[in-house]
Amino acid sequence: DAGVTQSPTHLIKTRGQQVTLRCSPKSGHDTVSWYQQALGQGPQFIFQYYEEEERQRGNFPDRFSGHQFPNYSSELNVNALLLGDSALYLCASSAVHTGELFFGEGSRLTVL
Amino acid sequence: EDQVTQSPEALRLQEGESSSLNCSYTVSGLRGLFWYRQDPGKGPEFLFTLYSAGEEKEKERLKATLTKKESFLHITAPKPEDSATYLCAVQDSGNQFYFGTGTSLTVIP
């Protein structure tokens, strides 16, 4: 049973560029959430997708956007990258009626 | 505002030296409290869910407990492979998760 898979694992961008990160949820899960984790910090909630719609959003600017596809996979897009966007981006999946989040290994974004 | 505070920030233990990690929280309508383990550069790995005060869960050398204001993760006779960052998270009535900043545990052989 494949767990949550994310790609790419590492990437380097420059300020002002745009990035797309991808996530496939754990088998049987229909809800995908994205988190940003800065070094030494806990994960911070970005947004959650269910039934191809953004259901909840944390305190992140509109530069952060996402999408969920019919097969439940998801993308996180960040426009106009800033140095402060450098972080580990985590995707977590869950079944809508359960609480446990299952995380992928993350995508490490470095903005130069 | 929902908040999660973990202490201590870092903990060094000798192998076999038992201890506890603390997670205190304020949340509007607790739906669940979760413990995760995170190894460097990896995603968090789910350990436990606790739903109500008085509940306890165990897994190998780890035991999690919950009161109305805090949760403890007890580590009995730890081994070096237990070294990791342990994260606590709460799920509120709006179904949103809030994470603490974690406790970095180092177990010395």
Side-chain angles (χ1 to χ4, degrees):
Chain A
D1 175 27
V4 179
T5 58
Q6 292 187 242
S7 64
T9 55
H10 296 82
L11 67 168
I12 300 173
K13 294 285 187 178
T14 57
R15 280 178 298 174
Q17 285 190 312
Q18 177 264 345
V19 66
T20 298
L21 308 178
R22 296 176 177 82
C23 172
S24 292
K26 181 179 169 66
S27 178
H29 286 180
D30 52 13
T31 302
V32 173
S33 302
W34 287 92
Y35 288 80
Q36 180 195 66
Q37 187 176 27
L39 204 60
Q41 301 297 313
Q44 297 291 314
F45 175 69
I46 302 175
F47 43 55
Q48 181 189 76
Y49 277 84
Y50 171 63
E51 291 187 334
E52 301 179 51
E53 291 190 10
E54 183 181 297
R55 298 293 177 170
Q56 291 187 332
R57 188 179 185 93
N59 190 24
F60 279 80
D62 292 345
R63 299 186 297 109
F64 290 77
S65 63
H67 190 78
Q68 185 179 34
F69 300 94
N71 67 352
Y72 307 120
S73 67
S74 177
E75 289 182 349
L76 165 65
N77 301 291
V78 187
N79 295 323
L81 284 167
L82 305 173
L83 295 179
D85 294 331
S86 296
L88 181 67
Y89 287 85
L90 295 163
C91 172
S93 74
S94 59
V96 67
H97 296 300
T98 67
E100 291 89 357
L101 298 175
F102 289 84
F103 285 87
E105 295 296 335
S107 293
R108 170 70 65 186
L109 171 65
T110 301
V111 182
L112 301 177
Chain B
E1 182 179 306
D2 296 347
Q3 277 192 318
V4 179
T5 303
Q6 292 189 245
S7 61
E9 289 185 9
L11 182 62
R12 289 172 65 90
L13 299 173
Q14 292 289 330
E15 184 172 1
E17 179 187 2
S18 301
S19 188
S20 295
L21 282 54
N22 177 263
C23 171
S24 62
Y25 63 90
T26 56
V27 64
S28 53
L30 179 71
R31 293 193 63 185
L33 185 139
F34 303 83
W35 282 97
Y36 288 85
R37 168 192 171 127
Q38 187 172 28
D39 292 299
K42 303 290 186 182
E45 175 190 348
F46 171 75
L47 293 173
F48 302 111
T49 308
L50 301 167
Y51 293 105
S52 57
E55 190 175 358
E56 299 182 352
K57 294 273 180 74
E58 283 190 69
K59 179 180 178 180
E60 296 181 356
R61 294 177 293 281
L62 301 177
K63 178 180 175 180
T65 62
L66 181 64
T67 71
K68 288 186 178 179
K69 294 293 183 186
E70 58 190 350
S71 176
F72 292 92
L73 184 65
H74 307 278
I75 303 177
T76 301
K79 298 182 178 181
E81 52 262 42
D82 295 321
S83 298
T85 295
Y86 291 85
L87 294 167
C88 170
V90 296
Q91 182 185 22
D92 68 10
S93 57
N95 221 27
Q96 195 155 139
F97 282 78
Y98 297 88
F99 281 80
T101 55
T103 293
S104 175
L105 174 66
T106 303
V107 181
I108 304 160

